[in-house]
Amino acid sequence: MSFTVAIDGPAAAGKGTISRALAARYGFAHLDTGLLYRATGLKALREGRGTIDAAVAIAAARALKAEDLAADGLRTGPAGEAASVVAAIPEVRKALLDFQRAFAGQPSGAVLDGRDIGTVICPDADVKLFVTASDAVRAERRHAELVRTNPAITLEEVAGDLARRDARDAQRTDAPLKPADDALLLDTTELTIDAAIAEAAGLITRKREG
């Protein structure tokens, strides 16, 4: 019988790291659903030569293949910004819905992380987590990640980008970023990654042993 873990939260809160660790620990498949939007957004951005047209983004989402999730550049700042833009287009979200739900139902169990997993994609998930952290800590984490490939980027720029993305994700009418009513809130601001993983794993183990 499948077992689904839904993990939501804003950028740089730690949900990706936690999700990958949980999937490895329990032998579950893992899907970073943000990659679907990053791949769609990056393709739309490239085809639009720097601008994103809704029709192009919708076509890109409908044509998305699993191998597109391994494309170069998906972890860059521009890809993240483009992902947030296309994620606000209802037709893009609809096009990617079936892909995510099919992944969640695999017999081996699955961990999906994103922004609307517990509320829209897998409302009946066995375990739901909403991973968050303070704005300052998230900006520092994302800056440390991006500066490796873009040494000129400043903390202020990263903080500004995150603030705009947070606002867009939370204010969109279709599947806004918010915790599911039955999600466990996991604030990683002052937690080590090992402590955050342990807390999440404890919840899953208790649920499975139920």
Side-chain angles (χ1 to χ4, degrees):
M1 183 176 295
S2 64
F3 189 96
T4 305
V5 181
I7 302 183
D8 294 305
K15 65 181 182 294
T17 302
I18 293 170
S19 297
R20 289 189 295 272
L22 292 176
R25 177 175 296 197
Y26 293 99
F28 294 164
H30 171 246
L31 178 63
D32 174 357
T33 63
L35 288 180
L36 302 177
Y37 293 95
R38 284 174 175 262
T40 299
L42 201 58
K43 183 177 290 189
L45 195 64
R46 287 170 176 168
E47 292 184 8
R49 297 184 179 181
T51 60
I52 293 178
D53 177 81
V56 174
I58 293 166
R62 289 173 177 167
L64 196 69
K65 299 177 181 178
E67 52 264 34
D68 294 330
L69 305 186
D72 292 336
L74 293 187
R75 298 292 183 181
T76 63
E81 182 70 13
S84 186
V85 173
V86 300
I89 302 171
E91 292 86 352
V92 168
R93 305 195 70 83
K94 183 178 180 180
L96 298 176
L97 182 63
D98 289 344
F99 186 105
Q100 296 172 79
R101 285 183 172 167
F103 187 95
Q106 45 192 306
S108 63
V111 180
L112 290 82
D113 70 81
R115 284 167 172 72
D116 64 346
I117 309 304
T119 55
V120 175
I121 306 301
C122 302
D124 297 322
D126 297 279
V127 171
K128 298 179 186 178
L129 294 172
F130 191 87
V131 181
T132 189
S134 70
D135 293 348
V137 166
R138 291 194 298 119
E140 290 171 359
R141 290 173 180 169
R142 181 49 54 87
H143 179 257
E145 176 185 336
L146 295 178
V147 77
R148 298 171 190 164
T149 54
N150 182 10
I153 196 168
T154 67
L155 179 60
E156 291 73 20
E157 289 174 324
V158 173
D161 288 343
L162 284 180
R164 286 188 292 274
R165 185 173 181 185
D166 288 347
R168 187 161 52 233
D169 289 347
Q171 294 168 10
R172 65 187 181 219
T173 56
D174 186 38
L177 170 65
K178 64 177 182 179
D181 292 338
D182 54 348
L184 173 70
L185 182 66
L186 182 58
D187 190 328
T188 66
T189 301
E190 297 183 0
L191 290 179
T192 65
I193 191 59
D194 287 343
I197 292 168
E199 188 168 334
L203 180 67
I204 292 173
T205 296
R206 290 192 296 273
K207 182 70 174 182
R208 295 183 79 194
E209 294 176 349

